[in-house]
Amino acid sequence: MGLGTKGKLTADSPELKAALEKFPDNSLVHQMAIQCAGVEKVTKEMLVAAIKAEYHKLSIGMGGYPDSYILKAYFALLKQKL
């Protein structure tokens, strides 16, 4: 997580690619990948993988417990990309 918080993680970072391969169901890893890519460069495939990960385990919301806010945001962004 240190690379992400220091702004050194990019969408094509080997560390991020390895994390996505090793933890395909981890919603936080997918969230970081989407943030690194940015709205313009995020792909449909990235969004679908993130949605699947959110169904596996919802991200922690602002209240400190799992909620579907991020999942809804991914669906909205996917709708724009279609």
Side-chain angles (χ1 to χ4, degrees), residues 14-67:
E15 295 89 354
L16 182 57
K17 289 181 180 183
L20 287 167
E21 287 181 24
K22 189 171 183 178
F23 306 106
D25 294 331
N26 188 308
S27 57
L28 181 58
V29 174
H30 285 281
Q31 185 177 359
M32 291 177 71
I34 288 172
Q35 287 176 347
C36 287
V39 176
E40 279 79 39
K41 293 184 181 179
V42 69
T43 65
K44 290 180 242 178
E45 292 78 15
M46 290 172 71
L47 289 167
V48 168
I51 288 169
K52 288 179 180 179
E54 285 290 325
Y55 271 107
H56 183 71
K57 184 177 181 184
L58 290 172
S59 294
I60 302 299
M62 294 180 73
Y65 53 89
D67 71 19

